[in-house]
Amino acid sequence: MAKVNKKVPVVDDGSWAALREFTAARIAIGRTGNSIPLNELLDFKLAHAHARDAVYSVLDVEGITSNLQQFKLPLYHLHSKASNRAKYLKRPDYGRKLNEESLTQLAACDVTHSDVAIMIADGLSAAAVNLYAVELMQILLPKLLNAGLTLAPLSLIEQGRVAIADEAGYAFRARLSLILIGERPGLSSPDSMGAYLTYNPKPGLTDESRNCISNIRPDGLPPSAAADKIVYLISEALKRKLTGVDLKDNAGLLEF
């Protein structure tokens, strides 16, 4: 008579399980035989679906535009060379450059030199930008103005990637560009927004010229803390006349 194999019980390491309350990472999920438990598998698939949804989410142009009016600054609606989401994902280089219509629009605008040009772009998670960009701006703009900094017109960019701020910041004649953009979604963070700062923005710069503040969201770096960090880095960047690998976040460190 053939021996019937008993079901292998779910095994969970208790020492790891205690750490689950401190992180959304998939640790101590256990196993059933050579696989993970069904509930964990379903959770993984749901998280993957949320991440895909974030990538294909759409920037709430009307809602953000309405909310940005409270700041009483000129607002430009711009678009990258990526005409749609499919093109944006297949051709990252298109997302780094403004289309001809946007370039013409900026060439015709009457702007003077300013300290900071702020852009808001969808990036890889428009959902994150829809949720947190205006909230961050409400905290950030008063701090910048209180610091005596001058602001260029705001811009809202569709199908944009980080480097598109170089072109827009250069057109606005700004000493520094700041772009708020949706980050690549993770399996536990489909709603993460990033902020990238570049001193003396101009076309042709690469990533070592920028500073990044990542994971802006309630479960990561809250908008209030992000605003403080952005103001600190902007102040240091304008004082030292640089950003990127040569600009370090030394806020709160002891000086000797």
Side-chain angles (χ1 to χ4, degrees), residues 5 57 66 74 88 147 164 178 208 214:
N5 291 326
S57 58
S66 176
Y88 174 87
I164 205 166
L178 167 67
E208 83 281 354
S214 184

Side-chain angles (χ1 to χ4, degrees), residues 184-195:
R184 186 184 305 276
L187 290 176
S188 60
S189 55
D191 60 338
S192 179
M193 186 175 72

Side-chain angles (χ1 to χ4, degrees), residues 120-200:
I120 299 173
D122 43 14
L124 286 166
S125 178
V129 176
N130 294 338
L131 287 170
Y132 309 126
V134 173
E135 180 183 356
L136 176 58
M137 293 282 283
Q138 289 172 331
I139 304 169
L140 176 63
L141 285 187
K143 292 178 180 289
L144 296 178
L145 294 174
N146 288 338
L149 299 179
T150 56
L151 302 178
L154 304 176
S155 54
L156 191 58
I157 307 175
E158 294 183 75
Q159 309 296 355
R161 292 184 182 267
V162 172
I164 205 166
D166 298 337
E167 203 167 36
Y170 180 78
F172 284 127
R173 303 179 187 176
R175 296 173 63 197
L176 181 143
S177 68
L178 167 67
I179 185 168
L180 307 179
I181 190 167
E183 295 186 304
R184 186 184 305 276
L187 290 176
S188 60
S189 55
D191 60 338
S192 179
M193 186 175 72
Y196 290 80
L197 302 89
T198 308
Y199 181 78
N200 192 23

